[in-house]
Amino acid sequence: MTETTGTNHIAETPDPRARIERYAAASVEPRWQARWAELGMYRTDLHDPDRKKFYLLTMYPYPSGDIHIGHWYIITPTDAIARFHRMHGENVFLPIGFDAFGLPAENAAIKNNINPRDWTMSNIDNMRRQLRTMGATFDWEAEVVTADPDYYRWNQWFFLQFLRAGLAYRKTSPVDWCPNDGTLAREQVEGADRHCWRCGARVEKRDLAQWYLKVTNYADELLDFSGLQWPEPIKTQQTNWIGRSEGGEIVFDAAPSEHHAGGAELRVFTTRPDTLFGATFMVLAPEHPLVRELTAPDRKAEVDAYLAQAANRTEIDRLSTDREKTGVAIGSDAINPVNGERIPIFVADYVLGGYGTGAIMAVPAHDERDYAFAIRYGLPIRRVVAAPGDEERELDSAYVAHAAGERLVNSGPHTGLPADEGGVAIVGELESRGKGRAAVTYRLRDWLISRQRYWGTPIPVIYCPTDGIVPVPDDDLPVRLPDTVDYHGSGENPLNRDEAFLNVACPVCGGPARRETDTMDTFIDSSWYWYRYLSPEKSGSPIDRALVGEWTPVDQYTGGAEHAVMHLLYAREWTKMMRDVGLVEQGEPFRRLFNQGQILGLDGERMSKSRGNTVDPDDLVARYGADTVRLFLMFMGPWDQGGPWSPTGIGGVHRFLNRVWTLLLDASGREPGDPDAGMLPAGESDADARAGLRSAAHKTLRDVTADYEAFRFNTMIAKLMELANTLFRYRGTSVAGSAEWDEAIRLLLLMLAPAAPHITEELWSRRLVERGEPWVSIHAQTWPEVDPSAVVESTREIPVQVNGKLRDKVVVAADATPAEIEAAVLARDKIKAILDGRAPDRIVVAGGGKLVNLVVR
RNA sequence: GGGCGAGUGGCGGAAUGGCAGACGCGCCGGCCUUAGGAGCCGGUGCCGCGAAAGCGGCGUGGAGGUUCGACCCCUCUCUCGCCUACCA
């Protein structure tokens, strides 16, 4: 290494800057990055039996082309966590890969007339290079690229496994359809105006035959987060998304009429079976299969018009906040199973086809939506639940509260029962007659995975005129995407026109058949990639079961909270499906989850290339170095908070690193600007100073260790700055160069190493040269231990309050008893003056002597 | 409409029942410099009194409450951000 050290030639030089070499990140950082790569320092030995394993996963990036400051914000603290754990002797696995399928590649391809694969792969090359400039310790040997046939063939393989297990199925139903992206899963439709999560276009409904995964099987299990250390808001969001409701399913029969024989079963789901006697009409969703059958001939024109209008509904009133309830009567009645009453049937779009049974019994007295509808169309409102004394009171809105002592009214034989008992009794009675049962409904839907796009995993299915739906045999996998694509300048899936891809012999009968041209939702790629990291080259199976058994679930996952009900839910569902087809033992993928915040652009919006508000870190790295950028991102604020990007203040952390550099290279130097340079603070002896320094260093170590463990990087860095400031105060004094000084310097470097890996490695190596010791990387050092004896104090200063206001401070021995503290406080002149002869009514010695409060009334 | 989160100096933020404002930016003063958008030292919540040391008052969106003591816990309320959207 370099031979220069500042201590050899000291104070005569007039300009201190001429004396020591300046910190030049631009030359230091690439040199160490190359050295680490050369030594393979971060290649993980997945088979090491001795060390405790630590699987640290960070959400893999989409290869949009450029790494921006937001990527750094996610990755560099994650890297610090990895380095911190390595210094604790753990075998850390920190892989990286690319989420390489998806629409932006296709859009770029159409726009620039290039192949999506070429576009994606060249972006990945660029991003690999940029990622390396961070100094992050990724194990590049484990890299996964999802657009690689060696990866996506296993998506196909999983699909076939799930198909065999009954977890995948094909169904024709109204699906959410985006004009650009084709089919969307329910959670990929956002907002009141129902726009596409990816492109923002308005989403329509279309009837299509599509592939689904049966994730609703897992609804209850997904509500169970026991054993997971996940942030509460994410658990809440997932719980709300799954949306479990308990209630009853009740069977109404269609009443006979001139146009219908009656008897058709109309099932409704309700969470309020206790209000069944209050049902005064019934509402079917526009998609309900019995709408057409039950519509009276004289109502047909109006109903048809309404159904057509409902299909376009989102366009009509996309911005209206309180949507008017609309609907039309279909000219048939239903029979209420509890009292035989005939109630009219309506079709209205406030009832959703996809939730519950797509039909409701309307109880306007006790449901706000039903109330609004009844008022608008002049339908009867009958109160059936009332709090004591309210029985006769007129309703001016739906009564939905749950007041104590509520009882059923107007409910036939159940009148007078407490409401909750009444509900149970009604369901029980219906059940005995085969007209109802207790039921649970979920908001969660099955996962619609078909996408009408080229750039994704082909769904491995063949349609044969004679044999129907035929799975592609495992041996024929992967079904490869053709390399040459011709978009004809449109977004239509080019696979539909690719005769070579389309035409295939049926695996069963050998006759001519056609391939499925839909591809899979790219969230499938991200639902298992961390298992593949453990064996990216494995060819005979998707995962290495021994390694997966040993290394997963992932110990720590870091990434953004925006995937709360998408990726993070799909990942849990997929692992459960893998478990159920016998591939993994566990049912949960990630033990501990941390959601870092998001860095927003200067416009306050989420950074994205399409918005054009990304911040390129390359300029900052060129000017200050990667360590400064890393440290600045960690210092900005709490990691889970994020915030708008502003480089204001980056000079502060850069100055800090320069000061650390100076402390190492020029401990004895003195600054001309300091009038007290070279002198100990007034009244402090050399021994005091040395003991104080040692104490400060060990207290810092204690606190910094806790901050790393809790991912509190901002306060961690603040404490290191404080220690550096303390050291700087003693620079050039008799303390500099003492054993205590040396220990403090050593601790400072070790504590800083995970966050600022390059400068600490450089300074560490120079320190070793100076001491004549052989080189060992600082990143291979063991995390130091706090010396408890160094952090104990002989005295302590206790704040003294009078009636809760700070008035004085008193210094007592560290082991002073409460009585001694009390006596010391009362002996203070200032306290005597404030008390003015009065005796305190009460003396609170709080927190084991942390504070004293005198109460005077 | 519902859910989650957050409101603290000029700014980023610290302190989760015990000295509010750590650390950093910015600003002010000084040193050093041919020079400084470099470096170093000191100061810096607001208001008042004081030459100063210092003293006093106010202060964590607002209003109440619990407590010896509240940025922190409770109730109500306002503002902002994110998520969600008629879920029977």
Side-chain angles (χ1 to χ4, degrees), chain A residues 432-470:
Chain A
S432 66
R433 291 165 36 208
K435 290 292 179 190
R437 61 185 174 87
V440 176
T441 293
Y442 301 90
R443 210 182 91 121
L444 183 72
R445 317 282 171 84
D446 278 340
W447 182 4
L448 168 50
I449 61 163
S450 299
R451 294 293 179 278
Q452 291 71 45
R453 309 297 319 181
Y454 160 75
W455 188 234
T457 304
I459 294 174
V461 162
I462 292 166
Y463 300 105
C464 171
T466 41
D467 296 302
I469 298 172
V470 181

Side-chain angles (χ1 to χ4, degrees), chain A residues 488-541:
Chain A
H488 287 294
S490 84
E492 199 208 328
N493 187 350
L495 294 178
N496 289 332
R497 291 187 303 263
D498 188 326
E499 295 297 325
F501 177 82
L502 273 174
N503 296 314
V504 62
C506 169
V508 177
C509 67
R514 285 172 89 77
R515 281 194 194 281
E516 170 69 85
T517 56
D518 284 356
T519 54
M520 296 181 196
D521 184 357
T522 55
F523 276 113
I524 286 181
D525 307 333
S526 54
S527 289
W528 68 283
Y529 69 105
W530 63 94
Y531 295 119
R532 189 65 180 168
Y533 277 148
L534 290 161
S535 55
E537 309 289 337
K538 198 170 176 71
S539 58
S541 72

Side-chain angles (χ1 to χ4, degrees), chain A residues 77-343:
Chain A
T78 303
D79 180 57
I81 296 166
R83 292 176 182 272
F84 179 76
H85 278 266
R86 281 199 200 89
M87 291 176 81
H88 284 79
E90 292 174 28
N91 191 20
V92 175
F93 184 44
L94 176 63
I96 187 78
F98 295 94
D99 185 17
F101 274 139
L103 196 68
E106 230 167 329
N107 289 340
I110 294 166
K111 198 171 154 198
N112 308 320
N113 198 29
I114 54 167
N115 189 295
R117 177 170 298 278
D118 296 342
W119 183 86
T120 303
M121 295 306 162
S122 86
N123 283 349
I124 289 176
D125 281 342
N126 189 41
M127 288 173 77
R128 282 195 190 106
R129 183 185 55 73
Q130 287 182 306
L131 281 166
R132 288 176 199 272
T133 66
M134 295 182 194
T137 55
F138 292 120
D139 183 346
W140 287 97
E141 301 287 306
E143 187 200 64
V144 156
V145 176
T146 59
D148 194 333
D150 284 338
Y151 187 82
Y152 72 68
R153 71 171 295 177
W154 300 113
N155 288 343
Q156 298 171 340
W157 185 88
F158 280 121
F159 175 84
L160 295 172
Q161 294 280 314
F162 297 153
L163 189 60
R164 266 172 230 143
L167 290 167
Y169 65 94
R170 186 172 154 94
K171 184 178 84 171
T172 300
S173 60
V175 301
D176 292 311
W177 173 273
C178 166
N180 302 316
D181 291 350
T183 305
L184 299 176
R186 177 63 199 85
E187 50 277 6
Q188 292 162 10
V189 180
E190 296 183 334
D193 59 337
R194 299 177 43 77
H195 61 264
C196 171
W197 75 291
R198 187 149 235 164
C199 72
R202 205 167 312 131
V203 172
E204 310 155 14
K205 288 279 185 195
R206 281 201 187 181
D207 261 329
L208 286 176
Q210 303 276 271
W211 287 98
Y212 291 82
L213 295 181
K214 202 152 182 39
V215 297
T216 50
N217 276 8
Y218 303 101
D220 273 323
E221 207 188 333
L222 288 164
L223 290 169
D224 179 8
F225 295 91
S226 52
L228 300 186
Q229 290 174 266
W230 282 33
E232 286 304 323
I234 298 288
K235 293 195 279 187
T236 306
Q237 274 189 66
Q238 291 203 353
T239 301
N240 292 343
W241 188 261
I242 294 162
R244 181 187 157 98
S245 300
E246 293 185 23
E249 193 174 292
I250 296 170
V251 182
F252 286 62
D253 289 329
S257 66
E258 285 166 22
H259 62 275
H260 193 276
E265 287 194 342
L266 290 161
R267 293 175 178 271
V268 304
F269 174 75
T270 179
T271 54
R272 296 291 306 277
D274 53 319
T275 64
L276 184 50
F277 281 84
T280 53
F281 58 102
M282 167 176 275
V283 185
L284 305 182
E287 301 91 339
H288 197 282
L290 289 176
V291 168
R292 283 173 200 283
E293 186 183 326
L294 294 175
T295 298
D298 63 326
R299 303 293 307 155
K300 189 166 185 317
E302 202 180 332
V303 168
D304 283 350
Y306 184 77
L307 295 183
Q309 182 207 326
N312 289 323
R313 178 110 170 123
T314 53
E315 291 192 40
I316 296 164
D317 62 358
R318 55 181 300 217
L319 290 179
S320 84
T321 43
D322 56 331
R323 271 153 283 184
E324 283 276 298
K325 301 282 178 285
T326 63
V328 296
I330 66 170
S332 283
D333 293 338
I335 297 172
N336 187 333
V338 281
N339 54 13
E341 192 174 2
R342 286 176 74 120
I343 55 175

Side-chain angles (χ1 to χ4, degrees), chain A residues 343-364:
Chain A
I343 55 175
I345 303 174
F346 287 77
V347 57
D349 66 359
Y350 81 90
V351 171
L352 307 175
Y355 180 75
T357 61
I360 62 158
M361 62 176 210
V363 184

Side-chain angles (χ1 to χ4, degrees), chain A residues 659-667 693-694 697 720 723-724 726-728 731 735-753 760 763-764 767 770-771 778 784:
Chain A
R659 282 159 73 88
V660 173
W661 180 269
T662 304
L663 284 172
L664 263 289
L665 266 55
D666 191 22
L693 182 57
R694 180 147 204 272
L720 292 181
L723 180 59
T726 303
L727 282 160
F728 229 84
R731 181 166 164 256
V735 173
S738 67
E740 290 82 0
W741 171 274
D742 188 62
E743 184 188 14
I745 289 284
R746 181 173 168 276
L747 291 179
L748 176 63
L749 287 182
L750 289 169
M751 288 187 277
L752 186 56
T760 49
L763 291 172
W764 186 259
R767 188 171 174 271
E770 194 181 344
R771 297 159 68 93
I778 190 170

